[in-house]
Amino acid sequence: MQEPNQSSVTEFLLLGFSLSSTTRPLLFSAFLITYLLIILGNGLITILICFDSHLHTPMYFFIGTLSVLDLGYTTTTVPQMLAHLVSRKKTISFARCVTQMYIFLVLGITESWLFAIMSIDRYVAICHPLRYKVIMSPCLCGIMVIFCGLWGVIAALVYTFFAMRLPYCGPNQINHFFCEVPAVLKLACADTSLNDQVDFILGFSVILTPLSLILGIYISIFMAILRIRSAQGRLKAFSTCASHITVVTMFCVPAMVMYMRPGSVASPEEDKKLALFYNIISAFLNPIIYSLRNKDVKRAFLKVTGWGRASA
């Protein structure tokens, strides 16, 4: 077995998207605008939650954490992708590839578990509203987020170690727009069946386990909602859950397909589309789905900017 520093490959070539000369500027503009909107939306949510005391609640604490993760998640990959769209040089060093892979996995796995924690928050808010503030204390919320981060750090380390322990002796062309594990493994000069098994097993702990927890919690939530006598109360409870279910589906389902299927059946073009979905599209839609149409957030925005006092 060769160590990464014994490999003959010192850098990788990221092929990115197969585009014509006329399509590339359009795609660059679309991704640039989307990335700027991701920064604007998630950055605004983070600032509002920090500065408005009315948003210092468990739900908004988790939403703020999600926004920070989305900012880091997209910044790990999108600026490089944009640079490669307008540059002839599309290489990335071996060390930078490993670093990008690890950071991307840490943030992604942390976000996957954060969605499970957010479902617990919704369960307590709907099923135990009178004890909500007592149960979801700031200390418990902090511990939950730390758990998500630690699990992300550990699981990402295992993913990265098993991927980069393999020898890479050429070719060095990664058919992707960033160093994602399944795409990099296709270049290994060794059998990757063990990696497929490790990825499948880890997939249970970082994707299927959070999804199973979310599913079980929402079954309990829906049973509790059905016992609410008021139709308006049921509708309000359902609406608070709909946003969470939407973002979980957008993020976790494509990630599950990407990381839990054998590498031999994966299509590079399909992988790129899946990665766009859970890396860029979900980060773009999260602020819209979760917060920007929320009355509390709108009120906080007017308060922080001073526009509310001006209109009054």
Side-chain angles (χ1 to χ4, degrees):
M1 182 186 303
Q2 297 185 36
E3 296 298 324
N5 59 6
Q6 294 175 321
S7 169
S8 60
V9 172
T10 58
E11 65 179 14
F12 292 106
L13 177 66
L14 292 167
L15 298 181
F17 301 95
S18 302
L19 302 169
S20 64
S21 57
T22 56
T23 308
R24 188 173 287 108
L26 295 176
L27 193 64
F28 173 83
S29 302
F31 282 141
L32 177 60
I33 293 172
T34 302
Y35 179 58
L36 292 176
L37 290 175
I38 288 172
I39 295 176
L40 177 63
N42 288 284
L44 180 61
I45 295 301
T46 305
I47 292 172
L48 292 179
I49 291 173
C50 288
F51 284 94
D52 193 325
S53 59
H54 292 94
L55 299 182
H56 292 176
T57 63
M59 182 182 75
Y60 287 108
F61 171 70
F62 294 131
I63 290 176
T65 304
L66 177 65
S67 294
V68 172
L69 289 174
D70 281 339
L71 284 171
Y73 200 57
T74 51
T75 301
T76 305
T77 60
V78 178
Q80 174 190 264
M81 178 184 66
L82 292 172
H84 286 179
L85 281 172
V86 296
S87 173
R88 291 184 178 181
K89 185 179 180 181
K90 303 179 188 297
T91 57
I92 182 171
S93 68
F94 192 96
R96 283 184 59 199
C97 185
V98 174
T99 303
Q100 184 186 59
M101 180 188 298
Y102 180 69
I103 294 174
F104 182 82
L105 286 169
V106 168
L107 297 174
I109 294 168
T110 301
E111 187 162 323
S112 177
W113 269 101
L114 181 66
F115 285 133
I117 299 302
M118 294 172 79
S119 68
I120 296 175
D121 173 69
R122 291 299 84 210
Y123 170 79
V124 177
I126 292 173
C127 300
H128 303 281
L130 299 179
R131 300 174 56 201
Y132 176 68
K133 291 185 178 180
V134 176
I135 296 174
M136 299 301 294
S137 64
C139 180
L140 179 61
C141 293
I143 291 173
M144 286 178 166
V145 170
I146 291 172
F147 164 80
C148 295
L150 288 176
W151 193 244
V153 168
I154 295 170
L157 187 62
V158 176
Y159 266 119
T160 307
F161 170 77
F162 274 92
M164 307 317 291
R165 60 180 268 281
L166 298 170
Y168 293 89
C169 47
N172 69 336
Q173 296 181 342
I174 300 176
N175 195 358
H176 211 300
F177 60 89
F178 72 100
C179 289
E180 191 162 34
V181 172
V184 175
L185 285 178
K186 293 178 181 179
L187 304 182
C189 304
D191 181 26
T192 60
S193 57
L194 176 61
N195 294 77
D196 288 339
Q197 295 173 14
V198 170
D199 292 351
F200 186 80
I201 293 171
L202 278 176
F204 275 94
S205 65
V206 302
I207 301 175
L208 280 185
T209 300
L211 274 178
S212 300
L213 180 61
I214 291 170
L215 179 62
I217 288 173
Y218 270 108
I219 290 174
S220 300
I221 290 176
F222 290 148
M223 291 176 64
I225 290 175
L226 293 175
R227 291 195 293 267
I228 299 176
R229 296 182 178 180
S230 167
Q232 185 177 0
R234 287 196 298 270
L235 182 62
K236 183 178 179 180
F238 271 122
S239 65
T240 61
C241 300
S243 298
H244 185 251
I245 294 173
T246 302
V247 296
V248 167
T249 303
M250 288 192 307
F251 180 86
C252 291
V253 173
M256 181 173 61
V257 174
M258 174 75 79
Y259 282 90
M260 295 193 69
R261 66 181 176 183
S264 57
V265 301
S267 165
E269 296 306 317
E270 289 181 5
D271 287 350
K272 294 174 194 177
K273 293 175 183 176
L274 287 171
L276 282 176
F277 211 85
Y278 61 75
N279 179 211
I280 299 176
I281 297 176
S282 63
F284 170 70
L285 293 178
N286 280 351
I288 300 172
I289 294 173
Y290 258 127
S291 304
L292 295 183
R293 60 194 183 111
N294 186 294
K295 292 181 180 179
D296 294 333
V297 175
K298 291 179 180 178
R299 192 180 301 115
F301 176 76
L302 294 175
K303 178 181 177 182
V304 170
T305 58
W307 292 355
R309 290 190 297 271
S311 60

